[in-house]
Structures are given as structure tokens and as C-alpha cells.
Amino acid sequence: MTFWILVLLLIALAIALVLWPLIVGGTGPERLEQAVAFYEARKNELVRQHENGDITEDEMNAALAEQARALLALSRNEKTRGAGEAAHSVRRRKMATLLMLLGIPALSTAIYLRIGAPNLPDVPLASRQTAPQNFDVATALQKIEAHLAKNPDDVRGYEVVAPVYLKAGRFSDAANAYRRVVILSGETPERLSDLAESLVAMGNGVISAEARQAFERAVKLDPDFAKPRFYLALAREQDGDVAGALADLRKIASDLPEGPARMRVNAEIERFEAEGKTAPAVPRGNAAEAIAGLPQQEREDAIKGMVDALDTRLTAGGGTIEEWRRLIQSRLVMNQRELARAALDKARTAFVGNAAALVELDAMAELMRTLPEAKTP
Amino acid sequence: MIVELGHFVLVLALVVALFQASVPVWGALRRDDVLVRLAPRAAVLQFLLVAASFAALTYAYLGSDFSVLNVFQNSHSLKPAIYKWSGVWGNHEGSMLLWVLILALFGAAVALFSRNLPADILGVTLAVQAMIASAFLAFLLFASNPFIRIPQAPFEGQGLNPVLQDPGLAIHPPLLYLGYVGFSIVFSFAAAALILGRVDAAFARMVRPWTLAAWIALTLGIAMGSYWAYYELGWGGYWFWDPVENASLMPWMTGTALLHCAIVMEKREALKTWTILLAIITFSLSLLGTFLVRSGVLTSVHAFAVDPERGLFILVILIAFIGGSFALFAARARAMEGGGLFAPVSREGALVFNNLFLSVAALAVFIGTLYPLLLEALNGAKISVGAPFFNLTAVPLMIPLFVVIPIGQKLAWKRGDLLGALQRLWWIAAAVLCAVAAGAFALGGGPVLALAGIALGLYLVLGALDDIVERSARSGFSHVFARLSGIPRAVFAMAIAHAGVGVMVIGIAATAFEQEKIVSMQPGETIRLGAFNLTLNGLTTEAGPNYASVGARFSLRNETGVIADLTPAKRTYVGRQMPTSEVARYRYGFSEVYLAMGETSEGNRVDLRAYDKPFVLLIWLGPVLMALGGLLSLSDRRLRVGAPKRAARSPQPQPAA
């Protein structure tokens, strides 16, 4: 209500300001009068300039003559301006007044109602933190944060705030909180998975090296725990091993009882099947199954052969940034650091001038540096 | 409620602008001064409304009100307060609101300070200004509304582009806009003159101060943008001929021509048609610049707006205003009566020369900027026209212009004495050549072009200042100070501004003496850079409020020992995973040592680009001097003729003769 009263006041103020000269009428200074005043001012100034020695007397006189001519022309012009305009002008003024009197309120409210949201209140941060309906989120969070600042070793506090952060989209804060929980009360499959899950959220779904390690440790502690296995399957997909990822997901789904968790995994499997044809082209379908069926040593040789083939092809003929990344990742997974570095260098040369690709390659280099040396089996 | 009031007030501003654009024109064509006098009031009201709207958006930003989509997308509750402020115009919608605010500001300023203009000229000028405002307010409300709301306010915002988190950039766009949009008022004056078919004597006086004000802002805006690119982007360059930079350079060039033209029109009432044409061209180029930057047709560091619908909207505005004004010009320009006559060799003649060269140079930049876009639109080929093109076209065009500046300064109005002017300059030119030759000999030679450039710069500076010397010592040296104080400020202004051009030319020419080292260094390693030794001490890491940074600690030595510790760094902002380079600089005199860090690799190796840049700061000192000259000229008492009528009518106290 207050809003609409203020809107009305604003409209009234606008109309009053704009229409004032029409209502009061009257005439301003005559044009000729104005021109004479200007001429006088200009004359004074020219005289002053002459006195200062900036212009000669001839120059001054010439300039004055020019000004006088202009004044004369104007006065002739003004005289020819008819005097019979006044009769029409009253009607015209009434029309203009009416037009604006109706137009300003009608147009402004009509446009505003189309695009505005008059019922939405302001929601500044301060009000969000004190509003009763948000009590459970904002205020509680603030209190716990203050508490934790004083008692940095209180595990309970971190356990409470971490999921709240995650929901609020403060992923890095969530990851930090979960990390504190793990440090303070030790590793359990659940805690490790929560930490890793927040890391995945932080990376927009990309399973980073740190997240993967945490999931792997969780699986080591509890080989049947579904959540880390699920993410590790997705990690396989992100590494390009679609067939392996799908097999893992099917296995997880069959291990799970009916329920939301299983539905989640099945949804993922359906996505795989829907995207099946467009998925990356490294071991898949028959080739992948054939490789999977081989004994350990031969399997490794087969994979190595495929990666080498990819390397040769990319080195000779170039390829997309996606292909190069897959090559580097494969080298890393196979613990061939030198070859991975060589591939990275080749990719950098291939993408000189392509800033987006170079940024991606920098990220790969970063990953390579942070990745710990895998133990040779 | 404040946010919604801000939204409503913006709508109201559009409605007021629509009436302001139509009613006064109607009145002027019917010679009804009462309807015309509505314009100044509407202009002031419009400014108040847009300012209120801008204040409401600022309020939403400061209070981190994420129920406003624009605030949610561009702010974050943890952001430092100054970036909450600058966040208001650090995004597309907000910056367009700022654009409209400045447009309204100029309208209101003209309404308040130009009372002695004939009512019809003032009214139609403000009406044209309101037409521009209506178009952009409509664009704002219907295609890039900053007041769109989110019913359920998100918990946290999405931050601001880290490259744009810089104090320099908080001031840069407003200054640039003051320049761009300032030319709108000159455009409106020109359109009004064409619509009414006459150029008044008082009108001729009004154009110059407004042009000057806009030109000062644009000069500073461009210089600041160039300086920002120099220290923020980490390339050490000062001008990249990037389309966004060109977009601001083109109106500056024609605006400079316009400024000089306006002087002729003011003094001699000549070149009226030229002035009007240049006013139209300059503002058209400003609109083009807005289109280029705002529509996202370019992809560059500056252009952070991508949306084809908006581009089309601005393109329609662009075509309507440019096409409309040129059509008006074609139809009415002949009706404009000519002014004072002048001989080819005269101050006016020199200024025409200046106009031609500046305009042609602007055309060269125009072609270089738009041709690649056109080609891409036609056949999808992506080519880039780089610095070589501009260095071969626009730059050589500026050289004869620079040579003529001091000559033009010495010529009298109407009919000048070329021989007399050259005689004096002859000495200056000879002295400069001797000095540069001696300098080159002492240094053991140098690039010929750079030496020529420095000579040209010195010639410009001395030529500009010689005017003052000559005037103050006209008849002996006994009354130098008395004469000095008698010289009008405009003369000082001209000397300072032209000297600024010379200073900038010296700075640019001196870049040829720059030293560049691109190296990969290990801690403990030392390299030689110009007259200095540079040692890498080690790496350091630091965690900022919203970024992590890796820095390399260097110490800079000369013969006496360590003179500075420099720490260039690379920052990675958490929010956007985008690394930025923080350069480290050491200034000595007008010169600088400039370090930019590249990759760090295993074993603490640091890739480094190190520069010794002699006299580099002159590049920006020059434009600052030009702007200072402009300010001085703006404060000259001649402009006070434009003061309210009442003061002019009362007898003025005359200084005792």
C-alpha cells in the first residue's frame, strides 16, 4: 500500500514539475531582448580584449561589425514572425496539458505493471539474516560460525554447518568444514565421502585428484559402501573409460536394495545408455569387452597399444583439445609421466594462439604436478 | 520497496523523456514558446528520476540484495565495499544505466546553464537529447533491465569478474561515458540547429564549452584505460589497437576536430556547417562505440556483454539516429548561412587542415576496426587487422598534423603571415635537431625513426610554449610578469594542451629504447636489465580474501646497491578459476622497470618478462596535460558571457584602464 501511495506521489510530482509553465503560462524574455543582451556582453568583451592588447583596433571593429550584422538579421527575422499565433496557442496548450495529465500516469503504471514486481519486498542481506522464516538457516549459521571461531576444535559444529554450506552453494566452505571433521575425528567411509562430494561440487562435477583419493580411501575402508563407488564410476567415465564406468554402475545398482539410492544410480545408467553413441571413443563396445576379457598383462599391452596409436595420430595430424587431454590423462593413468609431459608439450605447440585450449592445458599441467607418483605394481 | 520504486522511477523517466522529446518540437515548429519551455524542466526532472533509480540500484548492491538478479549475478556479500559500489556499473545493465544517467546529467546541465539561449533552440536541443534518452531507456527497460527480481532470494551472489576488481576500472567507465555521452549534447545542439534552420551567435558560443567538457572526460578516460591495460593486463603495452580502444579513439579524433572547429565558429562564426557535420559524426561514432562494446560483436577482454538480441536493439537505435541526423543534414545544411571569410593561410585555414587530417585518420581507424567485422559477417572469415595496419595509415597521417600545430598557433585569424610564423619556428626546429643529434651522438646512435619522433615531440613542446614567451616578451623583458598575467587563460590552455601532445609523442617515440628480457630464472640467478641488475630471491605464496597468489621476489640493484624489492605475482580467483597477472613496477623519473610473471615450473623456476621502459610515463602525462589545458580553457572568463542574463544586463565593473 505504501508503495502505491509513493508511486502516486511521484507521478503527481512529475506532472506538477513538467506542466508548471503550461499552467502558469506567461512569456519568457523576448528573443530580441536576449540577443541585444548577448551583443552587449560580446562588445564589452571585445573592448576588454583590445585593452589587453590581444586584438588590434581593426580586428575589434571587424568583430563588432559582424556581431551587429547578426543582430540586425535577427531583428528583421523577429519582425516577420506573425502576431496571430496567440489564438491557436490556448487550444494547443490545453491539448498538451491534457495529453500529459493522462499520459504520464497511464503510460508509466501500464509499463511498470508489465515488467515490475510491485509485491516483492527488498531482501538485503541484513534482513535475510534476521527474518524469522530464515531463522534456521542464516542466524543459526552465524551463531555456529561465531562459536567455531572461538572453539576451532569442536567437531559437532563442523558437522552441523558443513551440509548447510553445501546447500547454500558455499562449496569450498563445505569442503573445509568436512576436512576439519576428518582431521578432528578420524577417517570413516562416510566422512571421507562427504568431503569428496563437496570437492566434486566445488569443481562443478569434475572429480579432481583430491576427491578421487578420498573416495578411494573410503572404498578401502568399506568395499561395499555405494556412494564412493558411484563417484569412482563417474570418475572412470570422466577419464574416458565409458564402458568400465557403465559396468561399475551396473554392479553398484545390483548390489543396492530398492530405494532412492538405487534409483539415482539407475538414472545415471539410463543417461549413459541415452548418450551411448556420443560418448568418448576410447575402449568401448566390443573392443572394450575383448580387452576386459584378456589376462592382466595382455590387457595392459592392449591398452598401451591403443594409447600409443592415439599418440601417433595426434602427433602426426593434430586433433581436438579433448583428444589431447584424453591422451595426457591416459599417460598419467598408466604412470608414464615422461610421455605425459611430452604429450603436453606437443599439445602446447599445437594450440599456440588458442587461449582457451592453453588454459585447459595449464590445468592439465597443474594436475600433473599435484598428482602423487603412483606406486608401480 | 526501494528497489521497486527505483524500477518504477526508471519507467517514469522513460515516459517523461517521451513527452520531452515530442512536445517542445511541436511547440517550436508552431512558434509556441510556452510549450517549448517545458523542455528544461522536463530535462531536470528526468535527471532526478534516473538518479533516483541509480541510487536504488546502488542501495541494492550495498545491501547485497540478491533478490535483484543483477546484484545476484555480479556481487557477493564478502566483496570489499568499494567493489560493491563499482559493481553497480561493472556489468552490462548497470553500465547502461550509468550511460543514461550521464545522458540525463548533460541534459539537466544544459537546461540549467544555458538560460540565455533562445528558448526554441534550447527546447529543441533538449528534445533531441530526450529522443536519445527515450531510445536508451527503452533499451534498458525492455532488453537489459537491471531491476529484474528473483522471488526467492538466493543465499549468496556470484561475484564479479576478477580482472575487473581494480580501483582503476571503478573510475574508467564513468569517465569514458562522460566523454562519449557528453558529445550527445553537442549532437543535440547540431540537430536543433538543423531542425530550426539557423545557427545563433549565442548558440555558436554554447557548443564549445560542452564539446570541451566531453572532450576532457574522453581524453582522461582513454588515457586511464590505456594505463589500466598497461599495468593490469601484464603485457606492458600501452595501446593495442583493440576494437574497444579504437571505439573510444574514433570519437576522440573527430571530437578533437570538432573542438577546434567550434573555436572557429565561436570566434569568427565561420565553418558552421563543418561544426555541425563533425558534431553528428562524433556522436555517431560514440554510439558506434557503445554498440561495439555493448552488443558483444567483439570478443575481447573488455567486452563482457554477450547477447545478440541486445546487439540488434542497439543497432536499430544506431541506424535511426545516425541515418536520421545525416538525412536532416543533407536536407537542411544548405540553408545554413556562411560566416566570416578567411584566407587559406590563417588560423582558420590551419584548423581546417587539422580537421581534415584528424577526420581522415579517424576514417582509417574506422576501416581497420570495422572491416574484419564486416568480412566475418559476410563470409565467416575471421581476420584481424593489427597494429601494422594502423601504424601505416593513422599514424603517418598524424605526423603532418603535428608539424603544423605550432605553425597554426602562430598564425593570425582571418589572414596570417606564414613567413613570420616559420621564421620563429625555424630557430626552434634547428635547436631541437641540434639537441637530438648531440644526444644521439652521446648515446652512440639509436633508431632513426625514434630520434625523429623525439625531435618532433620536442619541437611541439617548445613551439607550444614559445607562444607564451613571445607574448610576454613582446617589447623587451622589462614587463614580462605584468604581460604574463595579462595573457588570457585560453592562450595558456592552448600552449599546455599542445605541449601535452608533444610530451606524449616523446613518450611514444622513447618506447623504441625500451629493453625487453624474456627469461626463465632460478632463485639466486641475476640478469642485466638496462642500467640495473635483477636478482630472483625466491617464491612466495599468499592467500588473499578471495584469491590465492604465487609471487616471485626480486631485488633490483644499481651500482650503489639494492634500490627496490619487486614481487610480481599470479593470482587465481577462487570464484572463477581465472588466473590474473599482478605486475611489479619500479619508477624512476618518468621511466619504469616493469616485471610480469609467467609460469612457475619445477625447481622453483620462474618465467619472467622484464622491461626497462624509459620515459614511458610521458605517454599518459601528455593526455593529462591536454585535459589540463582543456580545463583551463573551460575556466576562461570569455565563457562567462554564457552566464545568466541578469548578470549580463547589469553594468559590469570595468577594470581601470
Side-chain angles (χ1 to χ4, degrees), chain A residues 2-4 6-8 10-11 13-22 25-31 33-35 37-38 40-42 44-45 47-49 51-55 59 62-63 66-67 70 74 77-78 81-82 85 89-90 92-93 95-96 99-100 103-105 107-109 111-112 114-126 128 137-138 141 168 170 172-173 202 341 348 359 362 369, chain B residues 1-5 7-9 11-12 14-16 18-19 23 26-27 30-35 37-38 41-42 45 48-49 59 63-67 77-78 84 115-120 141-142 145 147-151 153-156 198 200-203 205 266-269 340-341 412-414 471 474 483 486-488 491 574 577 579 599-602 637-638 641 645 648-649 652-655 657:
Chain A
T2 340
F3 174 74
W4 288 111
L6 284 172
V7 162
L8 276 179
L10 279 167
I11 292 176
L13 195 74
I15 291 177
L17 264 172
V18 175
L19 288 186
W20 191 252
L22 292 186
T27 54
E30 276 304 311
R31 210 163 286 173
E33 206 181 321
Q34 256 182 333
F38 178 79
E40 295 285 338
R42 183 89 173 97
N44 286 338
E45 180 201 325
V47 170
R48 207 162 47 223
Q49 277 183 349
E51 281 165 0
N52 283 343
D54 290 329
I55 51 174
E59 278 172 335
E66 252 172 53
Q67 294 293 322
L74 185 84
N77 199 349
E78 283 299 290
R81 225 173 89 165
E85 301 156 7
S89 74
V90 174
R92 193 162 46 233
R93 263 167 232 176
M95 255 168 74
L99 212 65
M100 283 185 273
I104 291 179
L107 269 176
S108 58
T109 40
I111 296 176
Y112 174 73
R114 248 186 74 89
I115 59 177
N119 298 323
L120 282 189
D122 289 352
V123 198
L125 195 65
R128 260 177 292 154
V137 191
L141 197 58
R170 292 166 66 176
S172 61
D173 288 337
M202 213 169 119
R341 179 165 301 283
R348 278 211 170 118
V359 166
D362 283 347
R369 206 169 51 228
Chain B
M1 190 173 67
I2 290 180
V3 172
E4 285 305 312
L5 278 177
H7 195 178
F8 174 77
V9 154
V11 174
L12 196 55
L14 170 65
V15 175
V16 169
L18 286 173
F19 283 107
V23 177
W26 183 24
R30 299 270 168 194
R31 299 188 169 234
D32 186 341
D33 278 0
V34 175
L35 288 189
R37 262 202 302 282
L38 174 138
R41 291 173 159 273
L45 173 67
L48 293 177
L49 292 174
Y59 167 83
S64 292
D65 187 340
F66 299 130
S67 69
S77 66
L78 294 178
K84 281 185 189 164
R115 291 271 164 80
N116 69 336
L117 269 183
D120 58 343
L141 286 169
F142 300 119
N145 194 326
F147 288 105
I148 290 175
R149 304 292 298 271
I150 310 173
F155 201 69
E156 193 46 271
R198 69 195 160 88
D200 223 77
F203 166 79
R205 304 222 110 187
E266 181 195 13
K267 278 265 185 199
R268 301 266 303 121
E269 306 221 350
L341 298 171
W413 292 104
K414 232 170 169 177
R471 274 169 184 265
R474 197 171 271 165
R483 282 185 175 279
I487 297 175
V491 175
V574 181
Q577 292 299 321
E599 295 294 319
T600 55
S601 46
E602 278 162 59
R637 74 168 153 226
R638 286 181 305 150
V641 177
K645 262 193 83 225
R649 223 186 295 177
Q652 288 195 334
Q654 294 285 329

Side-chain angles (χ1 to χ4, degrees), chain A residues 42-359:
Chain A
R42 183 89 173 97
K43 196 175 92 183
N44 286 338
E45 180 201 325
L46 284 167
V47 170
R48 207 162 47 223
Q49 277 183 349
H50 173 56
E51 281 165 0
N52 283 343
D54 290 329
I55 51 174
T56 64
E57 189 159 359
D58 283 348
E59 278 172 335
M60 179 184 76
N61 287 333
L64 279 177
E66 252 172 53
Q67 294 293 322
R69 268 198 299 279
L71 188 63
L72 210 65
L74 185 84
S75 77
R76 225 176 280 135
N77 199 349
E78 283 299 290
K79 270 175 204 147
T80 52
R81 225 173 89 165
E85 301 156 7
H88 282 300
S89 74
V90 174
R91 222 185 74 202
R92 193 162 46 233
R93 263 167 232 176
K94 273 187 185 156
M95 255 168 74
T97 311
L98 198 68
L99 212 65
M100 283 185 273
L101 213 53
L102 296 177
I104 291 179
L107 269 176
S108 58
T109 40
I111 296 176
Y112 174 73
L113 282 176
R114 248 186 74 89
I115 59 177
N119 298 323
L120 282 189
D122 289 352
V123 198
L125 195 65
S127 85
R128 260 177 292 154
Q129 283 168 348
T130 53
Q133 69 266 31
N134 288 325
F135 175 81
D136 47 340
V137 191
T139 318
L141 197 58
Q142 224 173 18
K143 277 188 183 156
I144 301 172
E145 277 171 347
H147 171 75
L148 285 175
K150 279 185 215 134
N151 311 290
D153 291 338
D154 183 359
V155 186
R156 282 288 306 146
Y158 290 111
E159 281 173 345
V160 171
V161 289
V164 180
Y165 283 144
L166 205 57
K167 283 212 185 80
R170 292 166 66 176
F171 302 129
S172 61
D173 288 337
N176 283 333
Y178 278 127
R179 202 173 280 134
R180 291 292 300 168
V181 173
V182 171
I183 292 170
L184 290 171
S185 43
E187 296 187 351
T188 67
E190 288 80 13
R191 287 177 194 146
L192 282 168
S193 306
D194 286 342
L195 166 59
E197 200 173 21
S198 61
L199 290 171
V200 173
M202 213 169 119
N204 274 327
V206 174
I207 296 160
S208 63
E210 192 192 357
R212 184 206 292 254
Q213 279 170 7
F215 283 132
E216 278 166 355
R217 277 210 299 281
V219 173
K220 209 173 279 175
L221 290 172
D222 178 2
D224 292 331
F225 192 27
K227 194 198 245 178
R229 286 169 63 203
F230 172 70
Y231 277 105
L232 287 172
L234 294 185
R236 278 186 94 162
E237 183 210 0
Q238 287 174 11
D239 285 347
D241 180 6
V242 177
L246 190 56
D248 283 356
L249 285 174
R250 291 220 169 96
K251 178 89 176 52
I252 298 165
S254 68
D255 289 352
L256 278 170
E258 280 300 330
R262 184 163 172 179
M263 278 164 68
R264 172 81 181 86
V265 178
N266 279 328
E268 205 64 27
I269 293 172
E270 274 162 32
R271 177 178 71 82
F272 267 65
E273 280 159 357
E275 290 175 4
K277 291 208 176 74
T278 56
V282 176
R284 188 182 42 185
N286 293 336
E289 274 163 33
I291 290 172
L294 293 170
Q296 167 90 19
Q297 186 55 47
E298 282 176 39
R299 188 165 59 198
E300 277 177 12
D301 287 347
I303 294 173
K304 189 171 173 305
M306 293 181 74
V307 175
D308 286 343
L310 181 64
D311 198 342
T312 323
R313 177 164 71 80
L314 293 183
T315 308
T320 65
I321 180 71
E322 197 48 52
E323 286 172 321
W324 279 103
R325 199 173 64 184
R326 205 186 309 138
L327 172 64
I328 298 166
Q329 259 165 354
S330 308
R331 292 292 189 203
L332 280 178
V333 169
M334 292 159 70
N335 204 21
Q336 296 171 320
R337 289 198 152 241
E338 284 314 307
L339 287 173
R341 179 165 301 283
L344 182 68
D345 288 342
K346 276 186 272 185
R348 278 211 170 118
T349 343
F351 288 102
V352 161
N354 181 343
L358 287 176
V359 166

